[in-house]
């Protein structure tokens, strides 16, 4: 068994080291290039599975941490760590990479060696993002991921591949520059406490929580936006989504699978890992706007998918809709919705990845994505039609399949905090059934209208293995969801706890605004008893026995919107009334 202290490093860099063996093969030896790439991807997947027993259930902090000094000035360290949230995202990455290698077995015929090297290097960048605990290291892996994805789209894509690849890079780089500014800003702030400063994420979090680094409301909002915009572009959250359909349609099948299955999750992962714990007050103040954008994305993405004549673009817009649910679940600030968001990230990676595989299999046979060119395909290819229906049902959220669990938890948790957000978002579930079932009907049912379609071959043995694996995981995630949620429930709660610990130490608010906040929070008179007047027009919230539980929490969530610099003063006496 591998020693735990090096397992994360092996999981990150094994594909890069093994790619050197690929480079030793002759460029025209396509069979052995494919076999070796498949072996490397499979071994990497098995390495990632070793992480599951090493992550303790119920532990919210980082585990399997690795730390080594790297650069002295500025102080950049090689710091890796794993928790329940990043665990399954790493496994999803390694699994989909192996599936992508198998899916590209016959469809990639030129520059075969370079294609598989780029696919494996993309895996290195993505896994590195999910395991990095140093801000600079995180940024480095974030940028490393761009290069192979650019080449995968630009060299092996379809007709407008250069346009799509350049657009993808420009959008992502624009967000990355903002994030880099935020990272440098945090480093400079830490230098006021620690000589030379630090890029270490847990250290900076501790500084913010202890109050040794203080941010004004405006500074915190600027920093929040610097990180949030970078992640929103990657998600992509409406209105930052316009690069996605082009990138998906022009990318090769493997590129679309990795892009939809994993790369989009880097944005939502970043929101959970950075935006919420580092900038909790700004997150609370921005939540209504973010939730509005997420709900617009849910409905808009579904409506555009509904009228889409291009099958691959339809699946791409479905991602805009489904990732809107994830963002909504994160910014509802409830443990149930947070768990739902993480689960939906995994479920979307499997079901939408499988949809792109199925669309790619149709493209390999007919070389078109136009729905009008299909019709009646269930007659010549019944097996492919059956798999397509199963995956479409999982994507639209049929109970017992993976898509249902995530959406249900998100809507349930969001309803507890904001019932109106949940009500609007639920329309996306209805619309997803409309566009998926209608597209399925047009592609697979009815008469065969194009003569070429009558003789199309059904799924090959290789394709059946791929689709069967995806279908089994889809069903397993639907019926055994506690296997996943038990492992990231503590980590989800840990993120929310970190947000609660960072309310500042002093606060003031006018009596009128305070009264309105109390009414909005529906806090009873008994809970409000713990509020004491400290000075004219100023109130203090004591940590008193009479002021605790859900009512106090609700009030504390409402008050920052009234007084952004609000905090708790534990020295006030309980029982005094304003």
């Amino acid at each position: 068994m591998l020693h735990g202290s090096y397992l994360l490093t092996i999981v990150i860099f094994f594909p890069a080291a093994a790619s050197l063996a690929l480079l030793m093969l002759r460029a025209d030896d396509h069979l052995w290039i494919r076999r070796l790439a498949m072996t490397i991807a499979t071994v990497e997947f098995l390495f990632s599975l070793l992480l599951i027993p090493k992550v303790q259930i119920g532990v919210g902090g980082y585990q399997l941490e690795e730390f080594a000094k790297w650069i002295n000035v500025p102080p950049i360290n090689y710091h890796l760590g794993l928790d329940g949230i990043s665990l399954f995202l790493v496994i999803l990455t390694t699994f989909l990479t192996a599936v992508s290698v198998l899916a590209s077995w016959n469809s990639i015929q030129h520059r075969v060696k370079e294609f598989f090297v780029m696919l494996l290097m993309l895996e290195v960048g993505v896994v590195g993002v999910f395991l990095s605990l140093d801000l600079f290291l995180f940024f480095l892996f974030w940028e490393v991921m761009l290069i192979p994805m650019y080449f995968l789209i630009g060299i092996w894509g379809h007709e407008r591949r250069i346009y799509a690849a350049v657009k993808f890079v420009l959008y992502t780089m624009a967000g990355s520059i903002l994030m880099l500014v935020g990272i440098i800003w945090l480093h400079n702030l830490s230098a006021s406490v620690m000589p030379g400063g630090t890029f270490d994420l847990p250290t900076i979090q501790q500084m913010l929580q202890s109050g040794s680094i203080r941010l004004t409301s405006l500074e915190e909002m600027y920093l929040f936006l610097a990180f949030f915009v970078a992640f929103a572009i990657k998600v992509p959250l409406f209105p930052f989504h316009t690069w996605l359909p082009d990138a998906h349609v022009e990318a090769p099948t493997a590129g679309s699978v990795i892009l939809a299955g994993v790369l989009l999750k880097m944005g939502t992962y970043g929101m959970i890992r950075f935006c919420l714990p580092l900038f909790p007050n700004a997150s609370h103040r921005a939540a209504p706007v973010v939730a509005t954008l997420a709900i617009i994305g849910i409905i808009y993405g579904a409506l555009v998918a509904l009228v889409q004549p291009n099958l691959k673009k339809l699946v791409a817009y479905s991602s805009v809709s489904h990732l809107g649910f994830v963002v909504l679940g994160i910014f509802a600030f409830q443990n149930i919705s947070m768990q739902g968001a993480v689960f939906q990230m995994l479920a979307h990676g499997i079901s939408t990845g499988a949809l792109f595989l199925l669309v790619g299999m149709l493209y390999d046979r007919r070389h078109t994505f136009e729905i009008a060119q299909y019709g009646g395909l269930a007659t010549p290819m019944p097996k492919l039609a059956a798999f397509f229906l199963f995956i479409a049902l999982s994507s639209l959220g049929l109970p017992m399949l993976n898509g249902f669990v995530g959406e249900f938890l998100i809507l349930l948790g969001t309803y507890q905090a904001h019932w109106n957000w949940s009500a609007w978002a639920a329309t996306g579930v209805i619309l997803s059934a409309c566009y998926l079932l209608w597209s399925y009907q047009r592609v697979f049912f009815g008469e065969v209208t194009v003569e070429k379609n009558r003789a199309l071959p059904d799924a090959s043995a290789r394709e059946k293995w791929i689709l069967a694996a995806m279908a089994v995981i889809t069903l397993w995630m639907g019926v055994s969801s506690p296997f996943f949620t038990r492992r990231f429930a503590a980590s989800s709660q840990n993120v929310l706890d970190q947000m609660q610990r960072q309310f500042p130490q002093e606060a003031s608010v006018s009596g009128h605004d305070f009264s309105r906040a109390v009414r909005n929070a529906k806090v009873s008179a008994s809970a409000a008893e713990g509020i004491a007047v400290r000075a004219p027009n100023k109130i203090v919230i004591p940590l008193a026995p009479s002021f605790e539980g859900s009512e106090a929490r609700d009030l504390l969530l409402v008050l920052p919107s009234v007084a952004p610099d609000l905090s708790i003063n534990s020295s006030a006496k309980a029982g005094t009334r304003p």
Side-chain angles (χ1 to χ4, degrees):
M1 181 65 71
L2 290 164
H3 193 272
S5 60
Y6 301 112
L7 187 52
L8 298 187
T9 297
I10 292 170
V11 170
I12 292 176
F13 292 108
F14 173 74
S19 294
L20 296 174
L22 264 179
L23 295 174
M24 306 294 285
L25 295 173
R26 291 203 327 271
D28 59 349
D29 195 357
H30 292 178
L31 179 61
W32 277 104
I33 289 171
R34 293 184 178 112
R35 285 175 176 172
L36 183 56
M38 189 68 221
T39 303
I40 294 168
T42 305
V43 172
E44 168 73 350
F45 173 58
L46 295 175
F47 278 145
S48 70
L49 290 180
L50 294 177
L51 298 172
I52 295 177
K54 294 185 177 295
V55 173
Q56 296 177 35
I57 297 173
V59 176
Y62 300 114
Q63 302 178 51
L64 292 177
E65 285 190 62
E66 297 179 27
F67 186 91
K69 290 194 175 295
W70 182 19
I71 299 171
N72 288 330
V73 181
I76 298 169
N77 300 312
Y78 178 75
H79 189 187
L80 306 176
L82 183 74
D83 68 355
I85 294 171
S86 51
L87 166 66
F88 289 110
L89 289 169
V90 170
I91 294 170
L92 178 69
T93 305
T94 59
F95 172 71
L96 288 180
T97 302
V99 168
S100 298
V101 171
L102 197 55
S104 309
W105 204 265
N106 294 329
S107 56
I108 301 299
Q109 295 294 340
H110 74 289
R111 296 183 178 271
V112 178
K113 180 163 68 173
E114 291 89 338
F115 175 84
F116 288 115
V117 168
M118 288 298 162
L119 202 58
L120 293 170
M121 293 308 295
L122 179 61
E123 184 177 28
V124 171
V126 175
V127 173
V129 163
F130 292 138
L131 295 179
S132 297
L133 294 183
D134 183 276
L135 289 173
F136 188 88
L137 192 65
F138 173 86
F139 181 78
L140 188 68
F141 280 121
W142 182 275
E143 294 299 297
V144 162
M145 167 278 307
L146 272 180
I147 301 162
M149 195 68 216
Y150 170 79
F151 285 119
L152 284 172
I153 298 172
I155 296 176
W156 295 277
H158 303 298
E159 290 78 13
R160 298 171 71 239
R161 56 185 179 271
I162 301 299
Y163 166 78
V166 171
K167 192 174 182 180
F168 164 73
V169 169
L170 288 179
Y171 266 74
T172 310
M173 285 294 290
S176 299
I177 290 166
L178 286 173
M179 183 165 65
L180 182 60
V181 170
I183 289 171
I184 293 171
W185 192 340
L186 285 174
H187 167 260
N188 289 342
L189 283 171
S190 70
S192 63
V193 179
M194 179 184 293
T198 181
F199 287 100
D200 193 63
L201 175 62
T203 305
I204 291 174
Q205 273 183 358
Q206 186 58 42
M207 288 176 177
L208 287 165
Q209 287 171 8
S210 65
S212 52
I213 294 179
R214 290 185 179 274
L215 297 171
T216 66
S217 297
L218 192 61
E219 285 174 341
E220 185 178 357
M221 184 54 76
Y222 280 147
L223 279 166
F224 169 82
L225 289 173
F227 281 87
F228 178 78
V229 171
F231 299 140
I233 290 171
K234 183 64 74 179
V235 168
L237 185 68
F238 177 91
F240 306 105
H241 66 284
T242 54
W243 64 269
L244 181 72
D246 291 310
H248 268 315
V249 171
E250 302 306 324
T253 298
S256 292
V257 171
I258 298 295
L259 187 60
V262 184
L263 260 61
L264 308 188
K265 313 308 180 302
M266 289 164 55
T268 47
Y269 171 80
M271 292 176 188
I272 295 172
R273 181 67 77 225
F274 297 92
C275 292
L276 269 59
L278 292 176
F279 319 114
N281 297 333
S283 298
H284 277 291
R285 284 155 58 202
V289 176
V290 175
T292 302
L293 293 177
I295 292 166
I296 292 172
I298 289 168
I299 299 171
Y300 166 82
L303 290 173
V304 175
L306 192 60
V307 299
Q308 197 53 247
N310 183 302
L311 189 57
K312 199 172 189 185
K313 201 171 274 192
L314 183 150
V315 180
Y317 274 107
S318 78
S319 291
V320 176
S321 184
H322 284 122
L323 269 294
F325 277 103
V326 177
V327 175
L328 184 67
I330 293 169
F331 279 85
F333 308 124
Q334 297 287 322
N335 193 2
I336 292 176
S337 65
M338 186 78 78
Q339 289 183 56
V342 178
F343 194 95
Q344 182 69 0
M345 287 155 69
L346 305 172
H348 175 269
I350 296 295
S351 56
T352 304
L355 282 175
F356 276 117
L357 287 168
L358 286 155
V359 172
M361 290 169 189
L362 292 177
Y363 182 85
D364 289 342
R365 289 159 170 77
R366 286 286 282 105
H367 298 287
T368 181
F369 295 123
E370 295 301 313
I371 294 175
Q373 292 295 312
Y374 296 108
L377 294 187
T379 303
M381 46 176 69
K383 295 186 180 69
L384 203 67
F387 278 119
F388 204 114
L389 179 61
F390 185 81
I391 298 299
L393 290 173
S394 80
S395 186
L396 62 83
L398 187 75
M400 298 285 287
L401 301 180
N402 60 3
F404 171 76
V405 179
E407 287 181 358
F408 176 74
L409 291 175
I410 289 168
L411 292 174
L412 180 63
T414 305
Y415 184 86
Q416 292 177 353
H418 308 277
W419 68 267
N420 49 341
W421 294 3
S422 189
W424 278 105
T427 59
V429 180
I430 301 165
L431 290 171
S432 66
C434 296
Y435 65 73
L436 283 164
L437 293 177
W438 189 37
S439 63
Y440 182 80
Q441 178 198 351
R442 287 179 289 164
V443 171
F444 288 99
F445 290 160
E447 293 297 318
V448 178
T449 53
V450 181
E451 281 303 312
K452 289 181 185 176
N453 294 344
R454 293 187 188 278
L456 291 180
D458 204 352
S460 66
R462 175 181 57 86
E463 290 169 337
K464 278 188 263 191
W465 275 109
I466 294 171
L467 295 174
M470 300 297 265
V472 166
I473 292 173
T474 297
L475 182 61
W476 178 54
M477 288 180 71
V479 297
S480 298
S481 54
F483 177 85
F484 299 88
T485 54
R486 285 171 61 224
R487 285 168 169 79
F488 52 68
S491 299
S492 301
Q493 187 58 50
N494 188 45
V495 172
L496 297 174
D497 290 344
Q498 287 172 338
M499 294 184 71
Q500 295 301 328
R501 283 199 297 269
Q502 282 196 51
F503 283 104
Q505 300 298 313
E506 288 279 333
S508 65
V509 60
S510 72
H512 171 73
D513 285 342
F514 175 71
S515 300
R516 189 181 69 206
V518 171
R519 283 199 308 274
N520 289 346
K522 298 182 178 64
V523 177
S524 67
S526 62
E529 279 182 3
I531 298 162
V533 173
R534 193 177 60 171
N537 291 329
K538 292 194 175 184
I539 57 98
V540 177
I541 310 236
L543 291 175
S546 60
F547 189 79
E548 58 187 12
S550 61
E551 290 181 326
R553 187 180 68 247
D554 291 342
L555 180 59
L556 290 176
L557 291 180
V558 171
L559 281 171
S561 64
V562 180
D565 296 324
L566 180 70
S567 67
I568 300 166
N569 183 342
S570 60
S571 62
K573 293 181 180 179
T576 54
R577 293 175 181 272

